[in-house]
Amino acid sequence: MVNPVLLIALPLLLAFVSIVFKAYKNNLLVFGTLLNAGLVLTLNKGQYIIGGFQPPFGINLVLDDFALTGILIINGLFLVITLMSLEKLEGFASVLLVALAGLNGLVLTGDLFNLFVFLEITAITAYILSSASKEYRYAFNYLVLGTLGSGLYLFGLIVLYAVFGTLNMADLSVKMAAVDASQLVLPSLLIFIGLAVEVKILPFNGWVKGVYSGTNSLVGPLFASVYAAGMLFVFGRIFAQVIPLGTYLRTSLVVLGALTLLAGEVAALSKTRIREILLYSSIGQSGLIAALFLSGLVFVAVMQLVNNALSKAILFTVAGQMADSTGTDEGEELQGAFLEHKIAGVGFTIAALSLIGLPLFYGFISKMNLLFGIFYSDNYWLPVVILLGTVIEGTYMVRLLVKLWTPGDEGIVSEKAFATERPLTIQSSKVMGIVVLSVVLLIGGLLPAVIQDNLTDSGSLLDEVTPAYLFDLKGGQ
Amino acid sequence: MKRIFALVLVAVVGILLFSGIYSMEGFPRYGEAEVSERVSMSYIDKNVTRENQEVVFGVSENLETGSANIVTSIIVNYRSFDTLGEVTVLFVSALGVSLLFGSFEGRLRSRYKPNFILRTGSKVVFPLILVMGAYIFIHGHLSPGGGFPGGSMIASAILLMYLADEDFRVRIDDFKKTEGIAGAMYVLLGLVGLMISNYFLSNFLDTGTVGTLFSAGIIPVVYVLVGLKVGSELTGIITDFLKGEVE
């Protein structure tokens, strides 16, 4: 039986080894990501104890369907993105290995302080990767905000520990549910703000614009799909399973998520640079997914999360590659760029359409389900907001696609001669990665059962807010 | 204006936090927490996996964690996974510093040379600080301190040498190798625990008599590794920060 702690321990071990054998660090990274992606497929669900001390005294890893979906997405996408952009690694191989360990830890851990440790690890690797753009001011800005966020999370956690005397998620959720939720507004809010910085919820997402808009074809997809997915899984774990929110607090946080969705989409509409459009779309999607988690609709939130992660991996890879090879990602300058790169163009189009939620693609299935889910929960204003967001998203995405496929101004017949003269190159490794990811989106759209079967349980397990596992306060090994 | 606004904002947030915490039912007043209802009680009694027994310093044998220092028993035994994480936090921070300053060269110099008493005196103090640092991390399971403070002390000795002697250099590659090897050993120790007792980072060695130097199973081993790792890591960070910027 494979213990999921290996997903954390092995990349960490390779990271330490890569410092000693510097010359082989890129090989070690590739080996580590392959190993992890392989290990994920061999795991069995269950609770895994670390150190031999029964929780809540010791730390445990919880591998339920929710966490399993999370590590599948994280390790799979990490592998594809790393292999697509190996030439962009520069000195970051060791950092990426630590990041992989940290992201797996985030999703797997069943202990709130252990989560803080992994939050720190993951965030620090993100600060380092964000300095790859050489825009140190933005990276520093992110560092300050992110550190403040983890500080607030820790503060909220300290208050919870002072009151309940335990750090274990399952133990804490039982004890918290027994207390009047209005007594827990302060720690819940502190933890929410702490995570909101990384999840990119208004008004705590000031760092996103500077950091995301300069990312290359390696860091961009890593941030927008892998890191975003990891942080959202944590957010969902905590606010759908561990911390019970009072009605008022819950409603106001859902409103905050919906506002983030609208603000992100509206901001994206007014942008012309491709990466800026995509980053505001990422903010919007994060707001949507956070709102779904907060409404208790875990199943559809996970679906939308998967859809967003897959799509953004393709979109940011192509956008980053455009900027890397032509020096700009201004939509106007790149007219007709896909005429020379049809496969990458089709992949980009599939990702964009799936993100909007058009039929044939996985995004349609996820958006259908989430709208049904919200209607069934008797919420009638949130679907309106989501549909409005979708219309805006469709507008700017289709506008961008038209520009990239058909050069020339409006009203004139498009000709190849109008196409951009900038030398766009897309390596075959990237094209292959894009094809793989697009095929997954297509399979998800045409044969939803394939992806659904993996996700169905995760919903049924978490839709009840009761914890998946319970134990006595005293217990032996 | 901006500063006044910031000041008012900080004051308002501070008041909200204080009043919020102290109006919470169940938030214990200072010194009044009921320890017997918390997980920490079992850490103190060392009875997570066994029946409650009296723990006597220098007498009790083969406890679930043989560390006389209760804080150490939590950090390196009950919650050792967190410590591995914190070790990684420092590791990746040092990695970031060295990536950031990778292209920088040379080192800072001040206008005046250090005087001869500082130069010779620091050479006398240097080995003493090293010994003190090593003592602290070797005795982490018995007395206050442990891998992190001990390692920091070792790095502070290096910093003293940097300040006292402008021509002082360390072979940074050796420190990096120490760092990597010590970190890898910590993970390997965890994996050995996983193989022997099926729990990652389990204390698979005999824990001996509480209060003696050779006790507490893998705890002293881990603390020596952490001490070496933190010492060489902070040395690396100090060395990187002393580099000058190339125009």
Side-chain angles (χ1 to χ4, degrees):
Chain A
M1 194 174 66
V2 179
N3 193 316
V5 78
L6 294 178
L7 291 177
I8 303 163
L10 292 180
L12 211 52
L13 180 65
L14 291 173
F16 287 128
V17 171
S18 73
I19 296 297
V20 185
F21 302 103
K22 265 194 208 155
Y24 301 102
K25 61 182 176 187
N26 288 2
N27 307 24
L28 287 168
L29 172 66
V30 174
F31 176 65
T33 48
L34 279 169
L35 191 67
N36 259 31
L39 278 177
V40 170
L41 302 175
T42 63
L43 295 175
N44 292 324
K45 276 178 270 185
Q47 188 201 169
Y48 294 85
I49 293 169
I50 289 171
F53 300 103
Q54 191 76 21
F57 303 101
I59 296 167
N60 61 342
L61 301 182
V62 182
L63 188 62
D64 51 10
D65 293 287
F66 185 75
L68 195 59
T69 316
I71 54 174
L72 257 174
I73 285 293
I74 285 171
N75 290 288
L77 282 174
F78 204 101
L79 174 71
V80 175
I81 292 169
T82 315
L83 291 183
M84 275 200 288
S85 303
L86 277 177
E87 83 282 353
K88 288 278 164 206
L89 278 183
E90 295 166 26
F92 293 116
S94 312
V95 179
L96 286 177
L97 278 167
V98 177
L100 184 59
L103 286 160
N104 278 313
L106 270 183
V107 178
L108 283 170
T109 185
D111 184 284
L112 280 181
F113 184 79
N114 198 231
L115 177 64
F116 168 73
V117 173
F118 283 117
L119 209 59
E120 261 188 304
I121 295 176
T122 317
I124 293 173
T125 58
Y127 309 147
I128 297 173
L129 288 176
S130 65
S131 72
S133 63
K134 309 281 177 211
E135 299 274 6
Y136 295 118
R137 202 168 68 91
Y138 296 134
F140 187 71
N141 198 358
Y142 179 25
L143 175 93
V144 172
L145 267 174
T147 311
L148 192 66
S150 356
L152 289 179
Y153 172 88
L154 183 63
F155 188 23
L157 182 55
I158 290 170
V159 175
L160 285 184
Y161 180 73
V163 176
F164 297 104
T166 182
L167 293 165
N168 185 270
M169 287 184 191
D171 195 20
L172 201 61
S173 76
V174 175
K175 289 184 172 164
M176 284 180 86
V179 177
D180 182 14
S182 65
Q183 287 296 318
L184 301 170
V185 171
L186 183 78
S188 312
L189 209 55
L190 286 170
I191 289 179
F192 174 82
I193 295 174
L195 292 176
V197 174
E198 296 290 348
V199 176
K200 310 191 278 270
I201 293 175
L202 272 180
F204 312 105
N205 55 11
W207 58 273
V208 183
K209 181 174 181 288
V211 170
Y212 274 44
S213 64
T215 49
N216 61 26
S217 56
L218 173 70
V219 178
L222 271 183
F223 276 7
S225 70
V226 182
Y227 277 84
M231 294 300 177
L232 278 165
F233 269 106
V234 170
F235 186 87
R237 171 73 87 192
I238 288 189
F239 286 103
Q241 198 179 7
V242 180
I243 295 185
L245 295 173
T247 323
Y248 285 116
L249 188 58
R250 187 177 292 276
T251 313
S252 30
L253 295 184
V254 172
V255 170
L256 204 58
L259 279 177
T260 310
L261 168 66
L262 277 187
E265 302 294 7
V266 170
L269 190 63
S270 64
K271 299 294 165 195
T272 54
R273 282 180 55 203
I274 301 175
R275 281 180 299 185
E276 284 199 339
I277 295 175
L278 294 178
L279 82 89
Y280 282 112
S281 148
S282 287
I283 291 178
Q285 290 286 331
S286 293
L288 167 63
I289 297 163
L292 291 173
F293 274 130
L294 287 165
S295 314
L297 299 164
V298 177
F299 177 43
V300 290
V302 170
M303 282 181 84
Q304 183 61 21
L305 201 172
V306 171
N307 176 39
N308 180 48
L310 288 168
S311 312
K312 284 285 155 54
I314 301 178
L315 295 174
F316 266 94
T317 305
V318 175
Q321 182 57 29
M322 283 173 166
D324 292 347
S325 64
T326 68
T328 181
D329 62 341
E330 190 71 51
E332 211 57 48
E333 302 271 334
L334 290 163
Q335 292 196 17
F338 287 150
L339 291 177
E340 295 288 321
H341 302 277
K342 292 217 166 59
I343 303 178
V346 170
F348 190 91
T349 312
I350 290 178
L353 297 182
S354 182
L355 196 63
I356 309 169
L358 290 190
L360 280 187
F361 312 110
Y362 184 57
F364 176 69
I365 310 288
S366 96
K367 205 148 251 179
M368 279 285 285
N369 275 302
L370 77 86
L371 288 173
F372 276 125
I374 306 171
F375 274 122
Y376 283 138
S377 69
D378 285 334
N379 184 336
Y380 297 109
W381 63 268
L382 193 53
V384 176
V385 174
I386 292 174
L387 286 172
L388 188 61
T390 306
V391 170
I392 304 173
E393 195 168 40
T395 314
Y396 64 73
M397 278 296 179
V398 171
R399 193 176 63 188
L400 178 65
L401 288 175
V402 168
K403 198 162 281 170
L404 291 173
W405 279 108
T406 58
D409 292 328
E410 244 181 275
I412 307 169
V413 178
S414 171
E415 273 178 50
K416 225 171 182 176
F418 297 131
T420 176
E421 284 169 8
R422 288 176 183 266
L424 175 63
T425 52
I426 299 181
Q427 299 92 325
S428 50
S429 64
K430 288 202 174 63
V431 175
M432 271 153 61
I434 291 167
V435 169
V436 170
L437 295 175
S438 332
V439 167
V440 176
L441 282 174
L442 269 173
I443 293 177
L446 298 172
L447 309 163
V450 177
I451 296 187
Q452 221 68 352
D453 283 350
N454 274 317
L455 296 181
T456 316
D457 299 342
S458 94
S460 62
L461 195 110
L462 279 167
D463 271 344
E464 315 154 28
V465 182
T466 46
Y469 57 98
L470 295 164
F471 29 70
D472 305 328
L473 199 65
K474 281 270 181 245
Q477 264 185 4
Chain B
M1 193 59 214
K2 211 172 163 186
R3 282 185 191 173
I4 296 172
F5 179 70
L7 203 67
V8 171
L9 194 68
V10 169
V12 169
V13 171
I15 291 168
L16 278 179
L17 284 180
F18 264 98
S19 58
I21 287 179
Y22 282 99
S23 66
M24 265 175 84
E25 279 169 32
F27 188 85
R29 295 289 172 274
Y30 182 76
E32 289 176 15
E34 192 56 60
V35 183
S36 63
E37 289 171 7
R38 295 166 171 267
V39 289
S40 26
M41 197 66 215
S42 291
Y43 299 150
I44 297 168
D45 290 338
K46 303 190 194 301
N47 66 351
V48 173
T49 61
R50 54 165 65 210
E51 288 302 303
N52 198 7
Q53 286 168 341
E54 203 186 0
V55 178
V56 184
F57 186 85
V59 178
S60 298
E61 282 181 28
N62 289 328
L63 296 160
E64 58 184 18
T65 165
S67 168
N69 181 343
I70 293 172
V71 176
T72 301
S73 75
I74 298 170
I75 294 177
V76 195
N77 208 158
Y78 292 114
R79 301 187 63 93
S80 189
F81 198 45
D82 283 342
T83 306
L84 180 61
E86 290 298 347
V87 160
T88 312
V89 167
L90 192 59
F91 169 71
V92 75
S93 311
L95 211 58
V97 172
S98 73
L99 277 171
L100 202 58
F101 297 147
S103 59
F104 295 2
E105 285 168 6
R107 62 158 287 184
L108 291 179
R109 282 177 190 283
S110 59
R111 200 139 135 235
Y112 303 100
K113 279 214 168 309
N115 61 50
F116 74 96
I117 293 193
L118 181 61
R119 284 202 307 274
T120 42
S122 58
K123 277 178 191 145
V124 177
V125 185
F126 177 72
L128 295 179
I129 302 181
L130 284 189
V131 171
M132 185 64 192
Y135 178 89
I136 295 236
F137 67 64
I138 290 171
H139 289 74
H141 57 303
L142 301 176
S143 53
F148 279 91
S152 318
M153 227 171 254
I154 289 178
S156 74
I158 306 276
L159 178 60
L160 177 68
M161 292 308 285
Y162 268 124
L163 295 175
D165 181 359
E166 296 214 322
D167 297 317
F168 179 79
R169 292 279 191 284
V170 293
R171 301 226 333 241
I172 201 64
D173 274 355
D174 295 350
F175 281 95
K176 288 256 186 277
K177 285 205 172 93
T178 317
E179 176 189 345
I181 292 170
M185 293 284 284
Y186 191 176
V187 183
L188 282 174
L189 216 53
L191 290 173
V192 170
L194 184 65
M195 277 195 289
I196 292 180
S197 57
N198 212 12
Y199 298 111
F200 186 69
L201 281 172
S202 66
N203 199 342
F204 55 87
L205 292 178
D206 209 12
T207 55
T209 310
V210 66
T212 52
L213 182 57
F214 292 99
S215 69
I218 65 166
I219 292 180
V221 185
V222 168
Y223 255 172
V224 169
L225 290 175
V226 173
L228 290 174
K229 183 167 166 303
V230 170
S232 40
E233 232 149 39
L234 292 179
T235 304
I237 292 181
I238 291 168
T239 311
D240 280 329
F241 269 107
L242 282 174
K243 280 182 183 168
E245 196 163 343
V246 183
E247 294 293 317

